[in-house]
Amino acid sequence: MLAAIAYRLVPVESCRRVLRVSFPLLDAVVTARFVADVWGGDSFSDIYGLGRMVKRAFGSVLTIVLGARLVLLPQTYGPYDSWISRLIALQIIKRVDIVMSRHLDEQTISRLGIRESINPVFCPDVAFTLRPSCTGRNQAAFDWLRRERWAVGINVNGLLYSGGYTRDNMFGLELDYPSLIRRITTWVLNELHRPVVFVPHTYEACRLGHFENDLGAALAVVHDLDVSARPDCMVVTDEMDHRELKALIGQVGFFAGSRLHSCIAALSQGVPTAGIAYSDKFLGVFSSIGLSKLVIDARSVDTREALARFKQLVAEHHTVRDEVVSATASAKKTIVQTFSHLPQWLGLERLSEFDPLHTKW
């Protein structure tokens, strides 16, 4: 950042060349036709803490300091509980060339009080177009799913299971999250008589005991219910990348997830899905493709109501599946069309290397 500031303040080309050679990131930004930032899709907010937002802001701020063109890719904006985070968001958003949002409702941006007219471009989350990949690392899990048939996949959010970063119900849940997961698992195994596969989606710091690690939370559920020896219950323990996890999720008959992108992985492959929400981003993303009824908001319903809603969605899975297939096909088409127009909106010649379906350059 200091090098970037020096680059802008010192108009001597020889000095600038030294800075660009010394700092490859600086050189990459300066020579790029534009920079696109996605903030992980979820982090343009202080919902996970002000520190995380400040860290994630680095890329966008660096781009602005260097005077490069900046595009914010489809993501969630807000909420902002701290005046510092609101100020960061305000200063970034009013300086970008294009703001893309994965939500149809953009009241959060308007509430920032930006004088300039900001009209976000709606585009569904880019993860809908992510292509799954089956490799040897998940072959055992694939074999199990083919053998068991119509398994129910469950993603246990390690952060929710531990009460959030503060460990004291940080997200203000109305229900008892660990209890809900245990009750869903028990119902599926003993009353629905379907196999259960736990699919971790976040391996925080690759440490099993880390409070945000989904694998540790899933193993805790299995231990508490004493179902580890059951042949119809499996925990995916091999660490996989995003494409491998998506391929695995696509093999289940029904999915319940508390990580938004685990839900997107299921929905984009036509899997009926219940999203157990802890923030507005779930309803925003699900609603944007017409599937708001699949969201179970853990902040507004108790454990009993959430379980009843889950059972109802499972009972309607045939109808839900048809709706999911139709909605996600439309979402993928919108993503491809939106990204195809991006060079034109920026006043650039069409980029021959651009492949919106693969979301790469």
Side-chain angles (χ1 to χ4, degrees):
M1 184 64 75
L2 291 175
I5 294 172
Y7 185 90
R8 287 300 300 273
L9 294 179
V10 180
V12 180
E13 190 57 36
S14 59
C15 294
R16 287 185 164 186
R17 279 198 300 269
V18 171
L19 288 171
R20 288 168 62 174
V21 171
S22 303
F23 298 92
L25 176 60
L26 186 152
D27 182 67
V29 173
V30 170
T31 57
R33 280 175 280 184
F34 67 93
V35 175
D37 203 350
V38 75
W39 287 58
D42 302 322
S43 297
F44 209 107
S45 164
D46 58 9
I47 186 175
Y48 299 109
L50 178 60
R52 176 165 169 172
M53 182 173 182
V54 171
K55 290 179 182 178
R56 289 296 180 98
F58 181 85
S60 293
V61 173
L62 183 72
T63 302
I64 292 170
V65 168
L66 289 170
R69 306 185 72 179
L70 177 63
V71 174
L72 293 177
L73 296 180
Q75 56 193 292
T76 297
Y77 301 92
Y80 311 106
D81 293 329
S82 165
W83 69 268
I84 298 176
S85 59
R86 285 195 296 273
L87 180 62
I88 293 172
L90 171 65
Q91 296 304 318
I92 291 175
I93 290 176
K94 72 180 186 179
R95 287 174 169 80
V96 302
D97 287 75
I98 296 175
V99 178
M100 292 187 183
S101 172
R102 61 184 186 181
H103 295 194
L104 288 169
D105 180 13
E106 274 312 312
Q107 292 182 357
T108 304
I109 290 180
S110 65
R111 283 197 293 265
L112 286 173
I114 301 175
R115 294 180 181 178
E116 298 84 351
S117 177
I118 300 294
N119 297 310
V121 176
F122 167 68
C123 181
D125 193 292
V126 294
F128 279 105
T129 64
L130 180 71
R131 291 192 174 182
S133 174
C134 179
T135 66
R137 286 198 292 183
N138 54 14
Q139 191 58 51
F142 265 90
D143 292 341
W144 184 90
L145 286 167
R146 279 194 290 265
R147 185 171 62 251
E148 294 294 333
R149 299 180 184 178
W150 212 91
V152 173
I154 300 177
N155 162 246
V156 187
N157 186 322
L159 186 60
L160 291 188
Y161 202 83
S162 60
Y165 294 117
T166 60
R167 313 296 180 91
D168 61 352
N169 193 18
M170 170 183 173
F171 299 104
L173 305 188
E174 184 70 23
L175 54 75
D176 183 333
Y177 181 74
S179 175
L180 175 63
I181 297 298
R182 290 193 294 266
R183 292 176 69 175
I184 286 176
T185 303
T186 300
W187 178 76
V188 172
L189 289 173
N190 299 334
E191 296 185 43
L192 190 62
H193 301 294
R194 293 292 185 180
V196 169
V197 55
F198 289 96
V199 185
H201 201 264
T202 294
Y203 301 86
E204 185 65 27
C206 299
R207 299 197 303 271
L208 190 59
H210 194 282
F211 65 89
E212 198 171 352
N213 193 307
D214 292 356
L215 177 56
L219 292 173
V221 174
V222 171
H223 177 268
D224 292 343
L225 295 177
D226 194 22
V227 294
S228 59
R230 291 187 59 152
D232 56 351
C233 183
M234 182 184 71
V235 179
V236 177
T237 56
D238 293 330
E239 186 169 344
M240 304 177 191
D241 65 23
H242 49 299
R243 296 180 186 275
E244 293 169 321
L245 282 169
K246 182 167 184 174
L248 188 66
I249 290 172
Q251 301 302 306
V252 303
F254 193 94
F255 188 76
S258 307
R259 296 283 186 184
L260 178 58
H261 280 96
S262 73
C263 295
I264 292 175
L267 292 171
S268 59
Q269 298 179 91
V271 177
T273 302
I276 303 174
Y278 62 91
S279 75
D280 292 340
K281 66 183 180 181
F282 279 79
L283 187 58
V285 170
F286 277 68
S287 296
S288 71
I289 59 173
L291 297 175
S292 58
K293 74 174 189 178
L294 304 185
V295 176
I296 302 173
D297 195 334
R299 302 168 301 171
S300 61
V301 298
D302 60 25
T303 307
R304 181 185 58 80
E305 293 173 304
L307 180 62
R309 182 62 184 144
F310 174 80
K311 292 179 180 179
Q312 181 184 357
L313 290 175
V314 172
E316 299 172 353
H317 71 274
H318 287 299
T319 302
V320 171
R321 180 180 181 83
D322 292 340
E323 294 175 355
V324 167
V325 170
S326 175
T328 54
S330 177
K332 292 174 185 177
K333 183 178 180 180
T334 300
I335 293 169
V336 172
Q337 291 175 339
T338 303
F339 274 75
S340 296
H341 289 132
L342 186 56
Q344 177 186 348
W345 293 336
L346 290 168
L348 303 173
E349 294 182 3
R350 185 170 181 84
L351 304 172
S352 59
E353 306 89 352
F354 185 58
D355 184 347
L357 189 58
H358 291 159
T359 59
K360 69 180 181 182
W361 301 87

